[in-house]
């Protein structure tokens, strides 16, 4: 089965580098750039203070997942809908939405792992 234009990713998944992720975010979700920059600054400060690259690795992993989801319009829309349900839904809706969000994140992680191999 072939994907329709609306199901095709907007861009290829970029490598998990700060520069490539920044460019991807600028292209597919420019409103997220201030968060990207703020979180990058925080990760860099934490890495510097702790003499440890783990905060920067967490940052690139988090934003690679974000791009993996946001580059797929229908999936990104569904993800936002589910986040909204978590905020305002009743207990059953929150559980169901959280479970679906977890599945989406798991699939995104798997896709990223396949891209790296």
């Amino acid at each position: 089965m072939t994907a329709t234009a609306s199901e095709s990713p907007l861009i290829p998944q970029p490598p998990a580098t700060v520069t490539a992720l920044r460019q991807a975010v600028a292209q597919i979700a420019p409103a997220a750039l201030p968060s990207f920059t703020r979180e990058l600054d925080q990760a860099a400060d934490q890495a510097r203070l702790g003499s440890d690259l783990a905060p920067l690795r967490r940052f690139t992993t988090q934003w690679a997942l974000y791009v993996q989801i946001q580059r797929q319009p229908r999936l990104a829309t569904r993800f936002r809908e589910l986040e909204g349900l978590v905020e305002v839904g009743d207990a059953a809706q929150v559980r169901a939405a959280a479970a679906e969000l977890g599945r989406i994140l798991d699939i995104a992680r798997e896709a990223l792992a396949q891209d790296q191999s």
Side-chain angles (χ1 to χ4, degrees), residues 56-71:
L56 289 170
R57 286 188 196 107
R58 280 191 299 273
F59 171 84
T60 56
T61 299
Q62 171 190 332
W63 281 93
L65 281 169
Y66 178 84
V67 169
Q68 175 67 20
I69 293 166
Q70 295 302 313
R71 68 192 193 96

Side-chain angles (χ1 to χ4, degrees), residues 7 18 25-28 30 34 43 54 56 58 61-62 65 67-68 72 82 103 111 113 115:
E7 295 172 347
V18 171
V25 170
Q27 188 173 357
I28 61 172
L56 289 170
R58 280 191 299 273
T61 299
Q62 171 190 332
L65 281 169
V67 169
Q68 175 67 20
Q72 302 172 70
L82 293 166
R103 285 190 295 275
D115 286 347

Side-chain angles (χ1 to χ4, degrees), residues 70-91:
Q70 295 302 313
R71 68 192 193 96
Q72 302 172 70
R74 288 173 54 173
L75 183 60
T77 298
R78 181 64 181 151
F79 198 85
R80 286 188 296 276
E81 289 169 355
L82 293 166
E83 287 178 319
L85 275 175
V86 167
E87 296 284 326
V88 299
D90 62 33

